Amino acid sequence: MIAALPLFEEANRTRAFTVTILRALAERGIAGALPDLPGQGESLVPTRSTDLTKLRAAFAAAVASLIPPVFTLAIRSGALLDAQAAVAGRYQLSPMAGADLRRELVRARQASSREAGDAFDPASLDTATEPVELAGNLIAPAFLAELAIATPSTEAVRTVRLETEARPADAKLAGSPLWRRAEPDNDIAFAECVADDIAAWIATCAA
């Protein structure tokens, strides 16, 4: 199982949770990996220099380095990253489209601009030629353009959402929307529940 963290700040908020899921999977006999992609974690590539094309290529390369069969775990916008990966199945937890992520980033920038008394026109994103600061991240205009049309893969997917989410899913689980919290956090009970569901799903895929 190779995990794809969400993009930008949500990656920091959910890293501990993801690691807990991978550890729980290891206890169930399922090995895991959590790569730092360009612009994420310990990567030497700054966020402003990455884009969706680079992230997808890097994730596909990470998958190719593993012994098959390989399954992916993607949380939120992490589901945008595994489209090019040759995997046996994709487990998507509360997946979101790129356009939804872009709207969230714009709303965060609008809120911070209002607090600072600055003017911000979302339309300026479409004509930007330099990286734009959104929710504390410097993001390349090409990346923003990619997000506008990016969607999660629908091939060999199990979609799981929180019980509180209205969107359709193959299953809904009780848990905390850690990606909504201001600071990084964890939910061990939820992680165990996700690991149980993943293990049962992989067993079904192998049957």
Side-chain angles (χ1 to χ4, degrees):
M1 171 68 62
I2 181 170
L5 288 169
L7 296 168
F8 310 123
E9 186 56 35
E10 284 188 3
N12 296 327
R13 296 187 194 123
T14 58
R15 179 177 288 272
F17 174 60
T18 305
V19 171
T20 302
I21 294 173
L22 293 177
R23 286 175 175 165
L25 287 171
E27 294 173 354
R28 291 158 176 77
I30 300 171
L34 181 60
D36 279 331
L37 304 179
Q40 288 188 328
E42 300 300 318
S43 168
L44 297 179
V45 178
T47 302
R48 65 179 180 275
S49 298
T50 196
D51 56 35
L52 195 55
T53 298
K54 293 174 184 175
L55 289 165
R56 284 177 168 173
F59 191 80
V63 168
S65 71
L66 302 176
I67 299 173
V70 179
F71 297 84
T72 60
L73 161 63
I75 298 175
R76 293 273 284 174
S77 54
L80 300 172
L81 304 181
D82 66 6
Q84 297 175 7
V87 297
R90 297 172 170 83
Y91 189 98
Q92 298 176 351
L93 179 59
S94 298
M96 66 189 305
D100 292 332
L101 172 60
R102 178 172 160 143
R103 279 191 290 272
E104 288 192 1
L105 292 170
V106 168
R107 283 196 294 267
R109 172 62 187 272
Q110 288 175 316
S112 63
S113 293
R114 282 195 298 270
E115 290 179 2
D118 298 329
F120 172 69
D121 180 7
S124 65
L125 299 179
D126 297 324
T127 57
T129 58
E130 298 293 332
V132 181
E133 191 278 322
L134 295 174
N137 302 279
L138 281 174
I139 306 174
F143 200 165
L144 292 172
E146 288 177 312
L147 286 179
I149 58 174
T151 56
S153 174
T154 58
E155 182 180 350
V157 169
R158 177 171 175 78
T159 301
V160 177
R161 295 187 182 278
L162 297 174
E163 289 180 337
T164 53
E165 293 184 69
R167 293 183 178 181
D170 296 309
K172 294 197 175 183
L173 304 177
S176 308
L178 301 171
W179 43 87
R180 297 294 189 192
R181 297 183 180 177
E183 299 293 335
D185 204 350
N186 205 349
D187 185 332
I188 295 175
F190 185 26
E192 290 283 343
C193 188
V194 171
D196 282 338
D197 192 60
I198 290 173
W201 168 66
I202 288 179
T204 299
C205 293

